């Protein structure tokens, strides 16, 4: 697809100078989409892998439960084994969903949450910590530097 550059009309492809207006303004149309920055950061790779695994397992469990239900309604011989395997799959699906949560907690604990840009609250905490350390240093150095009188 042809992409209009600054000052070009998508229909006529004539060159203009920047600042003459948007490329889509002369046709009266808006672009189909606008790029916006992501509001949430991408999940970590291990967490995403666990989430994909959990979604697949839960989807298969739901399909299996539907087959068991329909076989039960139809009075098929396959209903009993289907129900037993559905119960087992439910346990596995629960484990898979919990695995996503545990994997996320472990990842955050090992790698920490990285915020961009760093928050102002963190900077304020750093300043308070520096001030506390400075006060402690001054209080430790104060009595030791004072002249001692002979008793």
């Amino acid at each position: 697809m042809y992409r209009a550059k600054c000052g070009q009309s998508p229909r006529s492809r004539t060159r203009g100078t920047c600042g003459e207006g948007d490329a889509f303004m002369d046709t009266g149309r808006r672009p189909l989409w606008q790029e916006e920055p992501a509001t949430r950061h991408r999940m970590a790779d291990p967490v995403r892998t666990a989430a994909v695994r959990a979604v697949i397992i839960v989807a298969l469990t739901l399909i299996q439960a539907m087959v068991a239900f329909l076989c039960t309604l139809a009075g098929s011989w396959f209903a009993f084994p289907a129900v037993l395997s559905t119960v087992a799959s439910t346990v596995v699906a629960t484990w898979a969903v919990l695995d996503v949560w545990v994997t996320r907690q472990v990842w955050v604990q090992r790698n920490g949450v990285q915020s961009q840009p760093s928050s102002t609250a963190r900077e304020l905490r750093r300043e308070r910590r520096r001030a506390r350390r400075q006060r402690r240093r001054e209080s430790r150095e104060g009595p030791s530097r004072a002249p001692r009188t002979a008793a």
Side-chain angles (χ1 to χ4, degrees):
M1 181 175 175
Y2 176 76
R3 188 169 185 187
K5 294 181 183 171
C6 181
Q8 286 184 334
S9 168
R11 296 205 188 268
S12 64
R13 297 186 186 190
T14 57
R15 292 194 180 268
T17 59
C18 289
E20 289 181 353
D22 292 347
F24 292 100
M25 290 302 289
D26 38 322
T27 61
R29 295 184 183 171
R30 294 185 319 186
L32 292 176
W33 67 85
Q34 289 183 342
E35 298 271 338
E36 293 181 5
T39 55
R40 295 180 63 158
H41 292 288
R42 187 174 159 164
M43 274 193 280
D45 286 338
V47 179
R48 188 173 36 256
T49 304
V52 168
R53 187 184 322 121
V55 165
I56 291 170
I57 290 172
V58 168
L60 290 175
T61 302
L62 288 173
I63 292 170
Q64 196 172 8
M66 183 59 68
V67 168
F69 176 71
L70 293 175
C71 286
T72 304
L73 287 180
S76 172
W77 64 270
F78 189 64
F80 183 68
V83 168
L84 287 181
S85 65
T86 301
V87 170
S89 292
T90 304
V91 172
V92 173
T94 305
W95 169 83
V97 171
L98 284 174
D99 182 48
V100 174
W101 181 68
V102 169
T103 305
R104 183 180 175 279
Q105 296 298 323
V106 167
W107 190 88
V108 168
Q109 186 176 13
R110 287 183 183 163
N111 302 317
V113 177
Q114 297 161 359
S115 63
Q116 306 254 332
S118 73
S119 71
T120 54
R122 186 176 300 128
E123 187 58 39
L124 290 173
R125 283 195 303 267
R126 281 188 198 128
E127 289 175 12
R128 275 183 269 167
R129 257 185 262 132
R130 282 187 205 122
R132 264 185 270 146
R133 286 186 200 127
Q134 185 67 28
R135 275 186 265 136
R136 273 190 240 131
R137 264 188 243 122
E138 289 171 358
S139 67
R140 272 188 259 137
E141 292 173 358
S144 63
R145 301 237 183 236
R148 296 185 183 185
T149 56

